[in-house]
Amino acid sequence: MLVRNQIADLVIAALQAAQAAGDLPPFDLPPIEIGRPKDARHGDYASSVAMQSAKLARMAPLAIAEAVARHMPAAAAIAAVEVLPPGFINFRLADDWLTGLIPQIEADATSYGNVDLGHGHTCQVEFISANPTGPLHMGSARNAVLGDSVARVLEAAGWVVQREYYLNDAGTQMRTFAETLWRRYRRAHGQDAPLEAHHYQGTYMVDLAQRVAAEHGDRFLHADEEAAIAALSQIGLDLVMEWIRAAADKLRIHFDCWFSEKSLYEDGTFDRVMTSLRGANRTTVRDGAEWLLTSEYGADRDEVLVRSSGQPGYYASDVAYHYNKFVLRGFDRVVDIWAVDHQNQARRMPYLMQALGLDPQRLDILLYDMVRLYRDGKEVKLSKRSGDIITIDEVVDEVGADAVRFLLLTRSNQTVIDFDLNLAVQQNDENPVFYVQYAHARMASILRTAAERGFEHASWANGDLALLGHPSEMTLLRKIAELPEIVEKAAIQLAPHNLAFYAQELAAVFHAFYRDCRVLSSDPADTELSRARLRLVAATKAVFATVLGLLGVTAPESM
RNA sequence: GCCCCCAUAGCUCAAAGGAUAGAGCAUCUGCCUUCUAAGCAGGUGGUUGCAGGUUCGAGUCCUGCUGGGGGUACCA
């Protein structure tokens, strides 16, 4: 249980005890929220319940706070309870509780920081899912990094997570792609096959066509045009998927499942959903199209499932796909990571859930804002239709996966990111990711040097933690104690940037500890202290590795 | 037109309705014969876009403006 929640329970117990003793009048308790004071002098946690209760109790906040503090039950984690004007109740963590975190981390470093929000329920995180019609551009990098980190955070928060890439291999985009490839292929063989405006203009299509021509020769030139386009569609898709996999790989992202949109239509899922919706009278035919009656659930309009042409619309795919996720595959929860230009689509998703008879709460659509790329002070367009595409590979090769991941994860989801390519490259030394990694490398270095000087792990594993007590040591431990709360917050808000900022804070307090507290001393009198500090350093290093792991950033042993 | 998001230090961004709004970069001043100076300490820098409102308390919530981005198809 998080200390914060323990403290909330203490406050409730104290309020009730005070009421029972007649020190406070009876009133319904407001929701008890325990905050983190910004100023260290105000302790580690604070409750503002006295201010919130002043009106209910018809008493001065300060008097309420004092009454509550008087009845506060003792707790091992809490060393002191203080009341300060205008009525804050402040809590200070006990030193031995803080040093007690070290054996906890030593016992199971990988689970320290984990919380249990998910209770082992399943959660699918679906992300990237870019149209497989070209290489991944930098807009997808944000999606990729955010989705992967959210997946990692949810795992740490007690969910069993499955990572999925939704392959939009059906529909008009795919058709356009195949037609473009067909024309580029013919041109590769010297035929006259001009592109039309709606075709993909990017030069990667030329590369693709040349690869196809190299591998398959001219055999499609002699086939029926539609058959050729169909064949090229599949061949091109496979090649593009190679690119996409490679780009994801570069960002250290691995999917458990690559799910084909086309399969929804080929394996009968779509038909089953339609039958079920019609049976429940949730569709109607109007203007030659078949509509899902989403207005019955409060939407401002109905949505087309089957167009008058007989072709299913994209909303039909959403319906069938989420039916597959929840009903056929049985995920307890699904998180879809979408760019903000899908906001309108996102708004419609709860209606879809209701139409399927599912609890909309089980589906989260995480919208993140755009990435704008700049080079030489000018915006570079990402569009697949322009020739100038900035791919993930290009940027990762230039800047490195760690820098790209950290940079994209150091902003909250709803901010527009202006990514300056020149700056990203030259900023190598100034990038905050190096600051954080440097702290980890420094710890590794201390442990290495310790071993060289005779402090093998076994020689300090039982160091006396009671010797810790220097303010910088305790500040470091306090920051370590925050991790579970940060993980919880990141999981609830689906916002990994909390971890990126936490990592920088942890690095800062570690560097302060490094300055103030010499771990390895030449004075034999300090040996016992060194042993205790080595335990602290090793535990901190493990926490760093955990945090960096949640961000998908490597934790280097040396730099 | 209507809907959504954003506006915080010179720049890039944080800040679960709480106490004196914080980091990094940039800039200025100091600190390496001892565990990594990719570091540390300190200085400069703010009417949180504007105007109201709710609240004991507002950067945060509500209303109206201004400016920027996105969205408003039988396209995905």
Side-chain angles (χ1 to χ4, degrees):
Chain A
M1 187 184 195
L2 295 183
V3 212
R4 189 219 297 269
N5 297 339
Q6 285 179 39
I7 293 172
D9 289 348
L10 293 178
V11 171
I12 292 169
L15 277 161
Q16 288 168 340
Q19 287 181 326
D23 288 355
L24 286 180
F27 60 88
D28 291 335
L29 304 188
I32 304 299
E33 278 160 15
I34 305 299
R36 279 267 188 190
K38 288 174 191 153
D39 188 332
R41 288 173 302 181
H42 295 141
D44 298 300
Y45 294 92
S47 168
S48 56
V49 70
M51 276 89 83
Q52 291 164 29
S53 305
K55 212 168 258 180
L56 296 164
R58 307 172 89 176
M59 281 174 67
L62 208 53
I64 299 173
E66 277 159 2
V68 173
R70 257 198 317 279
H71 288 92
M72 193 69 65
I78 304 304
V81 179
E82 271 178 350
V83 171
L84 260 76
F88 286 102
I89 306 169
N90 295 331
F91 298 83
R92 203 168 295 275
L93 291 168
D95 281 5
D96 54 356
W97 183 84
L98 286 164
T99 54
L101 294 170
I102 294 174
Q104 218 176 303
I105 294 164
E106 288 167 341
D108 188 357
T110 54
S111 75
Y112 178 74
N114 288 3
V115 292
D116 191 15
L117 299 175
H119 308 300
H121 288 118
T122 56
C123 178
Q124 183 203 64
V125 180
E126 181 225 310
F127 59 109
I128 309 186
S129 302
N131 284 335
T133 54
L136 292 180
H137 61 58
M138 275 305 288
S140 295
R142 187 174 191 178
N143 189 312
V145 162
L146 182 59
D148 185 55
S149 195
V150 162
R152 290 167 191 248
V153 168
L154 289 177
E155 278 167 346
W159 297 86
V160 175
V161 174
Q162 192 243 29
R163 292 165 169 79
E164 179 152 305
Y165 190 114
Y166 181 50
L167 216 50
N168 296 106
D169 52 2
T172 51
Q173 300 292 336
M174 204 60 215
R175 172 72 197 186
T176 306
F177 169 74
E179 282 176 14
T180 308
L181 185 53
W182 166 237
R183 287 168 195 237
R184 287 294 191 190
Y185 171 80
R186 285 172 59 193
R187 288 173 69 157
H189 285 289
Q191 294 194 357
D192 179 32
L195 298 191
E196 291 169 28
H198 69 284
H199 289 129
Y200 297 128
Q201 309 293 324
T203 50
Y204 61 87
M205 290 303 302
V206 177
D207 302 338
L208 217 51
Q210 274 162 358
R211 278 190 65 179
V212 175
E215 285 172 35
H216 298 271
D218 62 357
R219 63 189 179 94
F220 297 117
L221 293 180
H222 313 298
D224 165 70
E225 175 159 348
E226 274 309 307
I229 289 176
L232 286 176
S233 176
Q234 189 58 47
I235 292 166
L237 174 66
D238 290 342
L239 290 173
V240 168
M241 287 318 294
E242 269 179 35
W243 285 344
I244 291 178
R245 267 176 233 265
D249 221 57
K250 262 186 189 161
L251 286 169
R252 292 189 285 274
I253 290 166
H254 306 285
F255 288 95
D256 302 302
C257 181
W258 301 77
F259 190 92
S260 157
E261 178 187 9
K262 207 160 58 176
S263 75
L264 294 167
Y265 298 98
E266 291 175 348
D267 70 3
T269 303
F270 174 69
D271 294 330
R272 277 175 67 181
V273 173
M274 289 306 294
T275 304
S276 153
L277 290 173
R278 283 170 191 142
N281 289 320
R282 300 209 163 118
T283 74
T284 189
V285 175
R286 195 189 308 144
D287 305 328
E290 185 164 8
W291 302 70
L292 185 65
L293 295 169
T294 45
S295 58
E296 290 184 2
Y297 304 108
D300 51 8
R301 44 166 296 179
D302 297 327
E303 295 297 332
V304 167
L305 288 174
V306 184
R307 295 184 262 162
S308 51
S309 67
Q311 292 293 318
Y314 72 90
Y315 197 64
S317 286
D318 281 343
V319 174
Y321 185 34
H322 286 80
Y323 175 83
N324 169 281
K325 291 184 185 206
F326 286 102
V327 179
L328 299 185
R329 283 191 280 170
F331 288 111
D332 297 313
R333 179 185 183 194
V334 168
V335 178
D336 294 337
I337 316 277
W338 291 354
V340 72
D341 56 349
H342 291 74
Q343 57 183 262
N344 218 42
Q345 186 182 356
R347 208 184 349 236
R348 291 196 280 262
M349 295 306 282
Y351 307 126
L352 170 163
M353 293 292 284
Q354 284 176 274
L356 291 173
L358 298 166
D359 179 1
Q361 302 275 15
R362 290 167 64 190
L363 175 64
D364 282 296
I365 308 293
L366 175 55
L367 293 179
Y368 62 92
D369 219 304
M370 323 291 285
V371 176
R372 279 197 297 242
L373 277 189
Y374 290 84
R375 173 173 278 161
D376 303 325
K378 285 198 296 193
E379 187 173 357
V380 184
K381 291 290 176 192
L382 291 169
S383 166
K384 275 190 178 139
R385 307 209 174 183
S386 81
D388 192 9
I389 297 177
I390 308 298
T391 64
I392 288 180
D393 303 70
E394 253 175 276
V395 179
V396 172
D397 288 346
E398 258 180 49
V399 183
D402 286 335
V404 168
R405 288 194 68 126
F406 201 84
L407 192 130
L408 292 174
L409 288 172
T410 313
R411 319 231 158 152
S412 65
N413 303 330
Q414 282 169 336
T415 58
V416 177
I417 296 183
D418 289 338
F419 195 107
D420 188 319
L421 289 162
N422 307 87
L423 213 63
V425 181
Q426 72 181 201
Q427 224 184 14
N428 255 350
D429 286 9
E430 295 158 9
N431 194 308
V433 74
F434 295 100
Y435 176 78
V436 174
Q437 289 182 316
Y438 181 70
H440 184 268
R442 230 180 192 183
M443 285 178 254
S445 172
I446 292 173
L447 296 174
R448 262 196 314 272
T449 308
E452 285 164 14
R453 297 187 188 174
F455 284 101
E456 299 292 340
H457 176 259
S459 72
W460 50 263
N462 294 315
D464 182 6
L465 298 175
L467 297 174
L468 299 178
H470 188 282
S472 295
E473 292 168 335
M474 301 323 289
T475 301
L476 179 53
L477 282 164
R478 285 189 152 83
K479 191 53 73 177
I480 286 172
E482 272 184 47
L483 179 62
E485 287 166 30
I486 302 292
V487 171
E488 185 187 78
K489 189 170 163 186
I492 289 172
Q493 300 178 345
L494 300 175
H497 77 275
N498 287 292
L499 287 154
F501 282 91
Y502 172 77
Q504 294 176 76
E505 290 166 16
L506 187 60
V509 294
F510 170 73
H511 287 309
F513 160 80
Y514 180 89
R515 176 198 66 220
D516 295 335
C517 301
R518 183 152 192 97
V519 178
L520 302 172
S521 171
S522 47
D523 186 347
D526 294 334
T527 298
E528 286 309 309
L529 186 56
S530 289
R531 295 173 69 222
R533 285 180 172 169
L534 281 165
R535 289 182 72 181
L536 175 57
V537 170
T540 307
K541 180 169 175 278
V543 170
F544 256 102
T546 298
V547 175
L548 289 172
L550 290 170
L551 296 167
V553 170
T554 55
E557 291 294 309
S558 65
M559 285 175 72

